[in-house]
Amino acid sequence: QKEVEQNSGPLSVPEGAIASLNCTYSDRGSQSFFWYRQYSGKSPELIMSIYSNGDKEDGRFTAQLNKASQYVSLLIRDSQPSDSATYLCAAPSNSNSGYALNFGKGTSLLVTP
Amino acid sequence: KAGVTQTPRYLIKTRGQQVTLSCSPISGHRSVSWYQQTPGQGLQFLFEYFSETQRNKGNFPGRFSGRQFSNSRSEMNVSTLELGDSALYLCASSSGGSNEQYFGPGTRLTVT
C-alpha cells in the first residue's frame, strides 16, 4: 500500500514563529506533491504544489522536497493565528496516473497569539 | 472563474436508502475526482472520471458508483446506505494538464 504519513500534532507555535510541517511518502515513483490547508468545517484548499527536489517559495510558504529521503515539508514563516488549521500532504496514489491523490491524515497547527 | 460546486450541501438519510450527490467542476476542467472524508480514516479516494470514463477507482465496495456527463458534471451514488457511510463527500476537479486538484465545499451525509 502506497502511503503518505504525517504527524497528527497538534503542533503549537507562537505568532510570528516558523511552523514546520513534515510528510513522508512510500512510493518512490511519485513525481508531484501537494499541500492543502483545511479549516474546521471547510473543504481542503490547495496552497502549494512541488514537483522538483529543493525548495519552492510562495509568499510566507516554502515547500521542500527531498526525493532521496522521500520527504516533503512545508514551512510557514511569520505564522499568524489565521494559519491555525489542519495541513494535508498529498501525492498521486499511482505513478502512472496523476489524478488520484493519496492523502496523509493531516497535521493540526495551532498558532497562539 | 467559479469554483467547484456541490449539491446538496447537507443530507440526512436512513440506513438502506440510496443517495445521489452532484458536482460541477471548474469551467474547462475535464477531470473530476470524488473523496470520502471521515475523522477516523481521513481523506480517501473513491474514483476519478475524465471525459465520461472512469479512469481510477479506490478501494470502496460496489455500493459506491459514479458517472460523468458530457459537460463534465459528475454524480456519485451510494446504494443501501450504512451507518458507516456518514461522512463528508468531496469532489475535486483538475484541468487534466497537471495533478493539481481543487475541491468543492463538500456534501455532509448523515446516515441514521
Side-chain angles (χ1 to χ4, degrees):
Chain A
Q1 171 103 12
K2 296 166 185 174
E3 295 185 345
V4 175
E5 302 282 348
Q6 295 180 255
N7 187 322
S8 63
L11 173 66
S12 182
V13 300
E15 184 175 357
I18 295 175
S20 177
L21 304 160
N22 304 313
C23 170
T24 58
Y25 60 94
S26 63
D27 182 7
R28 284 195 171 274
S30 292
Q31 298 295 317
S32 52
F33 302 88
F34 307 94
W35 283 99
Y36 287 82
R37 176 176 63 198
Q38 186 172 26
Y39 291 112
S40 180
K42 300 294 186 183
S43 62
E45 174 192 8
L46 179 64
I47 56 172
M48 288 288 283
S49 56
I50 186 165
Y51 300 88
S52 309
N53 269 335
D55 295 0
K56 178 183 177 182
E57 188 175 316
D58 183 1
R60 295 187 297 112
F61 298 98
T62 299
Q64 299 176 316
L65 173 59
N66 184 325
K67 290 187 178 180
S69 301
Q70 295 176 247
Y71 179 93
V72 191
S73 64
L74 179 70
L75 302 178
I76 306 174
R77 289 183 300 282
D78 188 24
S79 294
Q80 301 296 308
S82 58
D83 295 326
S84 298
T86 296
Y87 290 80
L88 300 162
C89 175
S93 62
N94 183 318
S95 300
N96 297 321
S97 173
Y99 302 98
L101 292 179
N102 197 13
F103 282 84
K105 293 201 173 174
T107 298
S108 175
L109 172 66
L110 178 63
V111 181
T112 55
Chain B
K1 233 183 209 181
V4 179
T5 59
Q6 291 186 246
T7 57
R9 295 292 310 279
Y10 302 92
L11 265 179
I12 299 176
K13 290 287 189 179
T14 305
R15 268 183 306 176
Q17 288 185 316
Q18 74 166 18
V19 67
T20 298
L21 312 181
S22 181
C23 171
S24 292
I26 292 170
S27 178
H29 283 194
R30 296 169 64 189
S31 169
V32 174
S33 298
W34 288 90
Y35 295 83
Q36 180 196 67
Q37 187 174 35
T38 59
Q41 298 300 316
L43 258 173
Q44 292 186 288
F45 172 74
L46 281 157
F47 29 67
E48 184 240 351
Y49 287 86
F50 183 86
S51 293
E52 302 179 65
T53 300
Q54 185 182 89
R55 291 202 301 191
N56 291 287
K57 189 176 190 306
N59 295 323
F60 279 82
R63 300 185 297 106
F64 292 82
S65 63
R67 59 178 175 169
Q68 186 180 34
F69 302 95
S70 59
N71 61 358
S72 294
R73 190 177 69 84
S74 177
E75 289 182 345
M76 69 163 280
N77 183 275
V78 188
S79 62
T80 320
L81 284 165
E82 300 177 0
L83 294 178
D85 296 334
S86 295
L88 180 65
Y89 289 88
L90 292 158
C91 164
S93 78
S94 172
S95 66
S98 78
N99 298 344
E100 295 182 352
Q101 295 188 7
Y102 298 89
F103 283 89
T107 295
R108 173 74 62 186
L109 172 65
T110 302
V111 182
T112 62

